[in-house]
Amino acid sequence: MFADELISCLREMYPGGYSHTCRDPFYMLVSTVLSQRTRDEVTIPATKRLFAVYDTPRKMAEADAEDIQALIRDVGFYRVKARRIVEISRIILQDYGGVVPNSMEELLRLPGVGRKTANCVLGYAYEQDVIAVDTHVHRISNRLGLVKTSGPDETEKELEKVVPKDAWKDVNGLMVLFGQSICRPTSPRCEECRLKAICPRIL
Ligand code: SF4
């Protein structure tokens, strides 16, 4: 399947795209750090609880990590993430005047921030043409034969070669929706999938 056909099909299936609670860069950064190895159903309410108390880099930087832990306790690795969020906020405050940086190079210097998190900030908050490869994007791209890769960073590079650039920033949201509803990690719902006629996984 050609990548542009896949994107068109997913846009038809999910015309509203992925709906984020908030696309503010700091909110997006913290929520994506919280989402690492944690399901959306847990991440979204935890982020809301956290921002109800600490809604700026300054407030978060001055917070006690233990108070943050109490607000995000159901998130995976919450103790580590609470410390990282305080540390990230201090760096943003001290080195960037309280504004989340908008380049991959600078974002990767923040503790706990890898390419996926950086690309979520760059794509969703700063609307740059990037492909954020999470577990859904990596799995679905390989199942459909768009790429043949062993890790997310390689998937990102390979997808950049086959997906039209003007669709890069839509890839994550569309594949997350598709991966949560149809092409699930285990027990994908192939019988009701619109792509089953062309999916190499079941041909
Ligand atoms: S046919 Fe199954 S494996 Fe293939 S894209 Fe659809 S849900 Fe995923």
Side-chain angles (χ1 to χ4, degrees), residues 78-93:
Y78 70 97
R79 288 192 180 88
V80 176
K81 288 177 182 175
R83 286 198 300 274
R84 279 185 181 157
I85 287 168
V86 171
E87 211 178 324
I88 286 171
S89 303
R90 285 179 184 156
I91 295 170
I92 288 173
L93 197 60

Side-chain angles (χ1 to χ4, degrees), residues 139-152:
R139 179 182 72 256
I140 293 165
S141 301
N142 276 279
R143 280 181 177 173
L144 282 167
L146 284 180
V147 300
K148 196 172 178 184
T149 55
S150 53

Side-chain angles (χ1 to χ4, degrees), residues 143-144 178 182-183 188-190 193 195-196 199 201-202:
R143 280 181 177 173
L144 282 167
F178 184 52
I182 306 287
C183 194
R189 297 159 69 182
C190 301
C193 177
L195 304 171
K196 66 182 175 191
C199 179
R201 190 169 187 267
I202 60 168

Side-chain angles (χ1 to χ4, degrees), residues 124-173:
Y124 287 121
Y126 288 121
E127 300 193 348
Q128 294 182 18
D129 292 322
V130 293
I131 303 178
V133 177
D134 64 1
T135 177
H136 294 294
V137 176
H138 177 65
R139 179 182 72 256
I140 293 165
S141 301
N142 276 279
R143 280 181 177 173
L144 282 167
L146 284 180
V147 300
K148 196 172 178 184
T149 55
S150 53
D153 290 357
E154 193 188 353
T155 302
E156 183 189 338
K157 295 281 167 291
E158 292 304 308
L159 283 177
E160 285 178 356
K161 295 177 190 168
V162 295
V163 176
K165 193 165 185 176
D166 62 0
W168 285 8
K169 61 176 172 291
D170 294 337
V171 169
N172 179 272

